[in-house]
Amino acid sequence: MIRLLDQNTIDKIAAGEVIERPAAVVKELVENAIDSGANAITIEIKQGGISFIRITDNGCGIPKDQIPLAFQRHATSKISTIEDLLQVKSLGFRGEALSSIAAVSQVELITKDVDSIIGCRYEIHGGAEITKEEIGCPDGTTFIMRNLFYNTPARGKFLKTNATEGGYISDVVLHFILSHPEIRFKFIWDGKIKIQTSGNGNVKDNIYNQYGPDITKALLPVEVSQNGMTLTGFIGKPELSRGTRSFMNYYINGRHIKSPVIQKGIEAAYQGFSMTNRFPFTALFLEIDSSCLDVNVHPSKMEVRFTNQEEVYELFRTGLHDILKQATLIPKVSLGKEEPVKKPEKKAEKRLEIPGIPEPFETNRTGIPQISKDGSGSAKNEPSQEIKYEQQSLFQEQLLQEEDAVRFRLIGQVFGTFWLIEYKDELLIIDQHAAHEKVLYEELMKELSESHVYSQNLLAPVVLTLTHREKEVLASYQEAFTKLGFEIEEFGGDEYAVKAVPSHFLHLASRELFYSILDELLENPQGGKTELVTDRCASISCKAAVKGNHTLSFSEAEKLIEKMLRAEEPYHCPHGRPTTISMTKKEFEKKFKRIV
């Protein structure tokens, strides 16, 4: 039997779309506070926000006669017609937040607008008005929410622990302090101040306060403009990479959002600088004409659609990649902590002792200090210390200039993998596999960019069986594949035959290669762009690079290293691993106690 739901049930269902947990309450109320023009906002929670949330601001307040209307569904001061959705500049706009919060909790409102002499206190529980009275209060608004989901206990069962729910709220506050550094925020959790900002407008100060000095000192400033869009903020050097995307913060016109287009653009920018499945730190702010956005995609307003998504993608990809490229750095290695010099002690066993050599070093029969495999200088039975390194810039331009060539001295190969080079007051240590990957990558990229790729017929075609989506993406990129030297034809039914490949790929041609390329293209929103196929193919081509534990002759090594050092970006392989690390002469002198 079909029946109409009663209004109470309708309101609770609608509330569930907007209010999933306490963090959603905080997000909606703080957005309203920002839209009210507040420059000081205090958020206080108890028991993870489940039992108590208080949001206080010094904004414009709500006129007394409009308070009951503000709690009605779809009552808003932000828009009046459907066309207004194309020009939304405020954070809130649909008029669902207050009605949704009031439907599933007990709400108390204290507010005074600037034109009123006295304020108003208003209570509404589960959508039903309880009290409305005059009260003395300062300009601005205070919302108090108690007992979330008290009248919908089934929803409350899905909430997590107080600590977890409070953590979600902390994340929400963090996004507000990054996106609105001009506002003074205070976040109080169970009576303790967890976050407090000055509101001085300096994003970097807020990053320092929340993420600490290690991240702050490894930031690169961003200021890029393209196609009427402006991108500002900070990105982390590749050394800041994490195994999760949670450090990737980006905002559109002051709104924290999630966007596959922007996410892909950022990750593409870091390709070649960070290793696979490692993600950067970002705090990026995109200013874009609101007519290019559809913010009315999801009740939580966390998703947007772009009318110019390809331009947005390119802004992030090329803009950030150029910044990383200009700031490319070599890891500087330090072999553990400095140990104090110990005086030699008399030993019961007979052994050769060298004055000035600290105890953690082992000595061999010649008395030369041995550094353990982890590079820490610790003895076998001592806890090892991880090799430390920090990024440093040795060269202002490309590594190897004509006048510098004679200053390089190739010393030799160690462990069948690493080459040692003396350069000025530095010892460069180069990974031959990573170096060869970089050389192959840039050579292929150059050939592709100059359309000098040569196609090679396969003795036996590689036959692919494709799904409907794979066939669609192949059709979309067919022109790009042909331009790059691939010859792919329909083979009947769901099968396609790859008959020719670029000459670089001749020994790599396999079903796995093409499936991996198609998988990447399926995930990327930029249909038909040749650069996406190029990047994917070039990354795969590095499988042809010489491996570690392969002995090269001096002449082979010299040619390889010279090509690598003359590369456009010689410091990382296409997967983001460093090709080169360095140790300074000063570091050696410290280790041998020649200087203190």
Side-chain angles (χ1 to χ4, degrees), residues 221-224 230-234 283-287:
V222 174
E223 189 168 349
V224 183
T230 301
L231 182 62
T232 59
F234 298 91
L284 295 169
F285 310 94
L286 175 64
E287 292 295 325

Side-chain angles (χ1 to χ4, degrees), residues 484-540:
L484 297 176
F486 291 94
E487 184 181 334
I488 306 175
E489 298 179 353
E490 292 187 29
F491 200 61
D494 295 329
E495 294 185 333
Y496 286 73
V498 181
K499 296 185 175 180
V501 298
S503 56
H504 275 276
F505 289 176
L506 185 60
H507 61 294
L508 295 175
S510 66
R511 290 180 180 83
E512 290 72 22
L513 168 71
F514 299 107
Y515 285 135
S516 64
I517 294 175
L518 290 175
D519 287 344
E520 181 75 12
L521 299 178
L522 281 169
E523 292 295 321
N524 204 297
Q526 308 306 308
K529 295 187 74 67
T530 303
E531 293 82 355
L532 299 179
V533 184
T534 302
D535 289 345
R536 182 60 182 161
C537 292
S539 294
I540 294 172

